[in-house]
Amino acid sequence: MQKVYFDSAATTEVRPEVITKMVSVLKEDFGNPSSIHSYGRSAKNHIEQARKNIANYLGVKASEIIFTSGGTEADNLVINSAVRDLKVTHIITSKIEHHAVLHTIQEIESRNGIMVSYVAIHPDGTIDYEHLESLLSSSKEKTLVSLMHVNNEVGTILDIDRVGKLCKQHEAIFHSDMVQSVGHYEINLSKIDVDYTAVSAHKFHGPKGIGFAYIRKNSGLKPLIFGGEQERGYRAGTESVHNIAGMDEALRLSYENLEEEKTYIQDVKQYFIDTLKSNIEGVKFNASCCDVKNSTYTLINVCLPVSVEKAGILLFHLDINGIACSKGSACQSGSGKGSHVLTEILSDEDLQKPSIRFSFSKYNTKEEVDYVVDVLKKFIEE
């Protein structure tokens, strides 16, 4: 039995160079970065150098990068603080956002009684930009728009520049979850009218438990976590120095190797699509995941021609054959519920069939694709 990992949208394998960097920091620079002695100064230097490096990758000021425990905390920080501190009373989002955004907005809606509008979604998983403009035009409230850059389940890419310009035109605040795009695409935030973003290191071969929020300068946001004055006063608590250093190293390597790795992964993805089409009759690809322009190169979401009776054991069958993938996103796989994203875009007929997300990294091969397709084919034909 082979072991195949096709679940990099859930988390990526940590690069060996990142592990080496983190171990070095843990051994040599273990001081509290808030301490004024040499041990503390050495740890603090890692944090501030990482902040400068990350800001440089994204074309922003170092003071606009705030380290968090990951994308979920960054999303929560921005959305909650925008409502509390910027007096937002209307949020525009979509029903296919990550639960870190959707559940946060739903909680705020129930607690604060604010207005929430959902922009329409096309069957290919893209948002209806005309509907978004209509919602913005008719809004008389202080408005926050929260739309993710790359969808974590079906891979559709938001025209983030277009949305940013619409938000600026209508004086709305723009927040975008960029967990699936930073480290995979060249992004210059200074050239996009986006006010806040959320990023997580473990999506680009860095460690888990660390990420950051981009918070545009003079935004008016205040902290959610109180205590010390760490992270420019936005987030109290001793920083995870080794994780921050690991994230910095992971992002550096991602961008240094971006074009080469992107080309390689896109080739693996296309080979997977072609091999599925030629071996499994009736296979469908959800949303626009076969569209190079409108979908990320890192994943596909596949609807398989499997009977209702066999659908329930498909993931188990793949797992016992050494294949790691996801039914929907990993963040909801333990909930027992179907994908909220697929519910919005698939027909009732296709919702009865199993859909699987396969997501890729530089570590995957075409030989692995052949193995997975062979396992799927035999399962369907049994």
Side-chain angles (χ1 to χ4, degrees):
M1 181 183 72
Q2 286 186 237
K3 294 282 284 185
V4 178
Y5 187 77
F6 274 144
D7 204 17
S8 288
T11 196
T12 51
E13 181 179 343
V14 181
R15 292 181 192 262
E17 301 94 330
V18 172
I19 296 172
T20 299
K21 178 72 173 182
M22 292 172 67
V23 170
S24 172
V25 172
L26 283 167
K27 286 182 176 179
E28 306 296 333
D29 302 296
F30 54 84
N32 188 315
S34 294
S35 300
I36 60 173
H37 49 61
S38 61
Y39 291 92
R41 293 197 305 272
S42 180
K44 185 70 170 178
N45 181 63
H46 280 293
I47 293 173
E48 296 312 318
Q49 188 58 56
R51 199 187 312 276
K52 290 176 184 177
N53 291 341
I54 291 168
N56 186 57
Y57 302 142
L58 299 178
V60 298
K61 298 180 177 66
S63 59
E64 297 175 311
I65 301 298
I66 306 301
F67 295 125
T68 67
S69 63
T72 294
E73 184 190 333
D75 284 329
N76 272 261
L77 167 63
V78 168
I79 297 169
N80 277 288
S81 298
V83 172
R84 184 192 62 188
D85 304 324
L86 306 183
K87 310 306 179 187
V88 165
T89 54
H90 182 201
I91 297 178
I92 299 174
T93 187
S94 84
K95 291 186 178 180
I96 64 170
E97 298 302 302
H98 191 281
H99 280 149
V101 169
L102 278 182
H103 288 172
T104 301
I105 291 172
Q106 289 163 2
E107 170 61 22
I108 291 172
E109 182 182 21
S110 65
R111 187 177 69 227
N112 297 65
I114 66 169
M115 178 182 178
V116 178
S117 299
Y118 295 95
V119 65
I121 303 295
H122 295 300
D124 67 354
T126 59
I127 72 160
D128 185 329
Y129 295 100
E130 286 71 26
H131 186 221
L132 173 62
E133 185 169 13
S134 174
L135 289 172
L136 284 166
S137 298
S138 61
S139 180
K140 307 301 180 186
E141 313 285 333
K142 182 74 172 180
T143 303
L144 169 71
V145 173
S146 183
L147 295 168
M148 69 199 310
H149 189 195
V150 174
N151 188 275
N152 60 304
E153 289 197 35
V154 293
T156 47
I157 300 174
L158 182 77
D159 187 339
I160 197 165
D161 187 56
R162 182 176 179 179
V163 173
K165 288 175 180 176
L166 282 173
C167 289
K168 185 175 183 180
Q169 178 185 340
H170 295 281
E171 299 182 340
I173 303 162
F174 182 27
H175 160 254
S176 184
D177 183 309
M178 290 189 165
V179 166
Q180 294 289 342
S181 58
V182 167
H184 301 287
Y185 293 92
E186 292 280 3
I187 298 170
N188 189 329
L189 294 174
S190 67
K191 295 183 179 180
I192 304 170
D193 292 312
V194 61
D195 299 289
Y196 313 109
T197 67
V199 179
S200 194
H202 73 105
K203 306 298 187 177
F204 49 83
H205 302 290
K208 299 173 186 64
I210 190 69
F212 62 87
Y214 160 69
I215 298 178
R216 191 177 292 281
K217 190 177 180 181
N218 300 322
S219 67
L221 294 193
K222 296 177 182 178
L224 289 183
I225 300 174
F226 296 91
E229 294 300 313
Q230 295 94 342
E231 292 309 297
R232 309 305 201 259
Y234 281 109
R235 185 188 190 267
T238 302
E239 297 95 336
S240 183
V241 183
H242 64 292
N243 276 328
I244 291 171
M247 175 168 62
D248 177 27
E249 182 75 355
L251 200 55
R252 178 184 72 81
L253 291 166
S254 291
Y255 281 124
E256 282 186 359
N257 299 286
L258 182 62
E259 289 308 313
E260 178 185 350
E261 292 180 359
K262 181 179 179 181
T263 299
Y264 176 82
I265 297 167
Q266 178 65 59
D267 189 45
V268 171
K269 171 181 172 175
Q270 190 59 54
Y271 183 74
F272 205 151
I273 291 170
D274 295 341
T275 307
L276 282 169
K277 285 180 177 178
S278 61
N279 283 274
I280 299 177
E281 186 178 353
V283 66
K284 294 182 179 179
F285 296 90
N286 298 323
S288 58
C289 63
C290 292
D291 183 342
V292 174
K293 180 181 179 182
N294 294 313
S295 177
T296 182
Y297 62 95
T298 57
L299 69 86
I300 58 174
N301 196 297
V302 184
C303 182
L304 295 163
V306 175
S307 67
V308 175
E309 294 76 20
K310 295 177 68 174
I313 63 168
L314 175 57
L315 272 184
F316 173 73
H317 180 78
L318 291 171
D319 187 35
I320 64 174
N321 280 277
I323 300 165
C325 55
S326 288
K327 180 181 180 181
S329 68
C331 299
Q332 66 178 23
S333 60
S335 68
K337 298 178 181 178
S339 163
H340 68 291
V341 175
L342 298 182
T343 299
E344 287 298 312
I345 64 175
L346 294 188
S347 66
D348 290 341
E349 180 184 355
D350 283 340
L351 282 172
Q352 301 304 310
K353 302 170 185 174
S355 287
I356 303 293
R357 181 189 69 183
F358 296 99
S359 46
F360 320 110
S361 78
K362 65 186 287 292
Y363 296 111
N364 292 125
T365 66
K366 291 180 179 179
E367 288 74 22
E368 290 177 331
V369 171
D370 290 334
Y371 174 69
V372 171
V373 173
D374 184 58
V375 170
L376 284 171
K377 184 177 181 181
K378 288 177 180 176
F379 177 79
I380 292 169
E381 293 177 349
E382 285 177 353

